[in-house]
Amino acid sequence: MFKKITPDKDYVPNKVSLGARLGNLVLAVLLIFLGGYGILKEELYLPLGKRTEVTLYGDATYVAMVAFSLGAIYFLLEIVDHYDKRNNEHIYRRLRMIFRGFACMVFISAIIVNLKYVYQT
């Protein structure tokens, strides 16, 4: 009736280097602080590239904070996967793709919400 789960003897859990784990932790914390700063000031300047920059105002900073929180979870999932020794890396990989996709969609939504403030005159 129930399938007995037997450990795979050839399975080797993935290892993430200490530098990568610390880098992911720093990026997650920076994203949360950046989003919090934007909410506190109700203005958030983001240089997105050499010639592209966005300044978010008002409600758009709250939407960006949601995107940054999803991004922080994305970075933290790799750390959690390192300490989870079960054979389920595919689940973490799929979760990271989902969180990355949602974070990008929510950030684009923040830019769209920001258009209300840009063209409000």
Side-chain angles (χ1 to χ4, degrees):
M1 183 167 180
F2 293 106
K3 184 179 177 184
K4 185 177 179 183
I5 299 173
T6 57
D8 187 9
K9 295 181 191 298
D10 297 331
Y11 171 71
V12 177
N14 67 334
K15 295 189 188 308
V16 180
S17 70
L18 179 62
R21 283 180 278 156
L22 287 175
N24 283 343
L25 182 62
V26 166
L27 286 172
V29 170
L30 284 175
L31 281 174
I32 297 299
F33 279 139
L34 181 63
Y37 177 78
I39 288 175
L40 184 66
K41 297 292 184 179
E42 291 190 4
E43 180 178 302
L44 184 60
Y45 172 76
L46 299 169
L48 299 178
K50 289 183 180 179
R51 298 181 187 135
T52 308
E53 55 191 38
V54 173
T55 303
L56 302 175
Y57 302 98
D59 294 338
T61 59
Y62 291 100
V63 179
M65 180 62 187
V66 173
F68 292 159
S69 298
L70 291 170
I73 293 171
Y74 168 83
F75 287 116
L76 293 175
L77 275 173
E78 188 173 13
I79 298 170
V80 172
D81 184 25
H82 170 76
Y83 290 107
D84 187 358
K85 300 301 180 191
R86 296 176 290 174
N87 187 4
N88 58 359
E89 280 81 15
H90 62 284
I91 294 172
Y92 286 105
R93 190 172 24 257
R94 184 171 294 153
L95 280 173
R96 290 186 76 200
M97 287 186 339
I98 290 169
F99 276 102
R100 182 179 60 201
F102 276 130
C104 290
M105 287 189 311
V106 172
F107 185 72
I108 291 169
S109 299
I111 294 172
I112 292 170
V113 168
N114 192 55
L115 293 176
K116 176 178 91 173
Y117 293 99
V118 173
Y119 293 110
Q120 180 184 27
T121 36

